[in-house]
């Protein structure tokens, strides 16, 4: 497996390696209006949400966000005292057609990429659907997708 990862990485040039996209996992109380309060806070600071996923539990919710200005988002959340963790996701651009998601997933499975979760983004910079992929090894997943002919977008591609 390690040999596969090294081979995939060595075949991708630095120019093909778009930077990974920063994702925030925000922990909110499970109460009415908490998500609205978060989106208002970000909106007041001109931070645009590009992707959103909410996982609800009995006591709290985990809101995963991809935003257009992650540095500013980090600062705003910290100043507001909102607990958040940062991680990196791969953002894959899906070509038109219903079978294209399957192609992306087949590429990842063939390379034994551990996909932990995924969600759609709300923006379409090239009029194509975007998929955020959180993987155990995001850099390897990015390299495998690029090698498989999938367009991978970086933070600059989704920022305004």
């Amino acid at each position: 497996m390690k040999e596969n990862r090294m081979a995939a990485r060595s075949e991708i040039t630095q120019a093909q390696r778009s930077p990974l996209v920063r994702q925030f996992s925000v922990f909110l109380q499970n109460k009415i209006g908490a998500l609205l309060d978060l989106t208002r806070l970000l909106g007041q600071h001109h931070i645009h949400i590009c992707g959103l996923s909410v996982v609800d539990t009995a006591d709290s919710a985990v809101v995963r966000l991809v935003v257009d200005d992650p540095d500013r988002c980090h600062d705003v959340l910290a100043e507001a005292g909102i607990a958040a963790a940062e991680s990196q996701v791969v953002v894959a651009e899906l070509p038109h057609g219903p079978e294209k998601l399957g192609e992306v997933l087949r590429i990842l499975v063939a390379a034994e990429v551990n996909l932990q979760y995924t969600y759609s983004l709300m923006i379409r910079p090239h009029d194509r659907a975007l998929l955020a992929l959180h993987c155990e090894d995001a850099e390897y997943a990015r390299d495998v997708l690029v090698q498989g002919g999938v367009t991978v977008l970086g933070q600059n591609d989704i920022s305004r």
Side-chain angles (χ1 to χ4, degrees):
M1 180 66 172
K2 188 174 183 179
E3 294 157 358
N4 291 345
R5 290 178 193 266
M6 294 187 67
R9 286 188 173 131
S10 67
E11 292 181 25
I12 306 299
T13 67
Q14 195 60 34
Q16 292 172 303
R17 281 191 173 98
S18 58
L20 296 169
V21 173
R22 285 168 61 190
Q23 170 191 262
F24 294 87
S25 295
V26 179
F27 306 95
L28 296 178
Q29 287 184 339
N30 193 358
K31 67 176 189 172
I32 294 175
L35 182 59
L36 177 59
D37 291 343
L38 175 63
T39 60
R40 277 187 185 150
L41 174 67
L42 297 179
Q44 289 167 350
H45 289 87
H46 308 288
I47 298 166
H48 301 102
I49 297 171
C50 302
L52 175 72
S53 169
V54 179
V55 178
D56 188 30
T57 66
D59 299 343
S60 63
V62 178
V63 179
R64 293 188 175 106
L65 300 166
V66 170
V67 298
D68 65 340
D69 190 343
D71 291 332
R72 187 168 172 97
C73 183
H74 173 86
D75 294 343
V76 167
L77 293 174
E79 288 171 14
I82 297 173
E86 289 185 45
S87 59
Q88 296 182 319
V89 293
V90 178
V91 174
E93 186 177 77
L94 299 179
H96 293 291
E99 70 283 351
K100 301 308 178 185
L101 175 59
E103 286 180 25
V104 169
L105 296 177
R106 278 189 292 281
I107 291 168
L108 294 172
V109 167
E112 298 180 10
V113 171
N114 183 12
L115 178 62
Q116 296 167 326
Y117 58 84
T118 183
Y119 56 93
S120 299
L121 273 69
M122 298 181 289
I123 60 169
R124 298 169 73 94
H126 303 120
D127 198 31
R128 300 219 169 137
L130 298 180
L131 191 63
L133 304 153
H134 190 273
C135 305
E136 185 177 320
D137 185 341
E139 291 179 353
Y140 176 60
R142 173 202 52 212
D143 293 351
V144 163
L145 289 171
V146 168
Q147 195 173 20
V150 175
T151 300
V152 175
L153 302 183
Q155 188 70 54
N156 290 339
D157 297 314
I158 63 169
S159 296
R160 294 180 188 209

